Amino acid sequence: LQAGKRQPDGQRGLILDAARKVFQAEGLDGASLRAIAAVADYTPAALYFHFESKEAIYAEVLRVSLANLGQAVSLAILR
């Protein structure tokens, strides 16, 4: 992926997808910004443009996951 072709929301989403994979495989303590950056095809320093820390990335992954779960439950209840 070429950096010039990514949109801001796409960059953040790509980082979150990469982080989700790394956190799933390594856990919060085992995960590193370097590993997340490698999966996302970024440098670790570039992650700081979008997030202030590994914990901030984890919090956002968790927030998005819980929001998606809440939406799925709400849709299931409506059926």
Side-chain angles (χ1 to χ4, degrees), residues 1 6 10-11 14 27-28 31 34-35 46 55 57 60 65:
L1 295 171
R6 295 180 183 151
Q11 291 173 338
L14 183 64
L28 177 59
R34 186 177 306 270
E55 290 75 18
I57 297 171
E60 184 64 8
S65 296

Side-chain angles (χ1 to χ4, degrees), residues 1-7 11 14 40-42:
L1 295 171
Q2 296 176 358
K5 295 195 178 209
R6 295 180 183 151
Q7 299 300 317
Q11 291 173 338
L14 183 64
D41 195 27
Y42 276 91

Side-chain angles (χ1 to χ4, degrees), residues 20-38:
R20 188 175 300 107
K21 292 173 186 173
V22 174
F23 289 134
Q24 184 177 19
E26 305 294 332
L28 177 59
D29 289 336
S32 67
L33 285 175
R34 186 177 306 270
I36 294 167

Side-chain angles (χ1 to χ4, degrees), residues 15-70:
I15 293 167
L16 292 175
D17 287 344
R20 188 175 300 107
K21 292 173 186 173
V22 174
F23 289 134
Q24 184 177 19
E26 305 294 332
L28 177 59
D29 289 336
S32 67
L33 285 175
R34 186 177 306 270
I36 294 167
V39 173
D41 195 27
Y42 276 91
T43 63
L47 299 183
Y48 287 108
F49 181 75
H50 299 280
F51 298 96
E52 64 185 43
S53 66
K54 175 180 77 170
E55 290 75 18
I57 297 171
Y58 186 80
E60 184 64 8
V61 167
L62 185 58
R63 187 196 69 74
V64 169
S65 296
L66 290 174
N68 290 339
L69 177 62

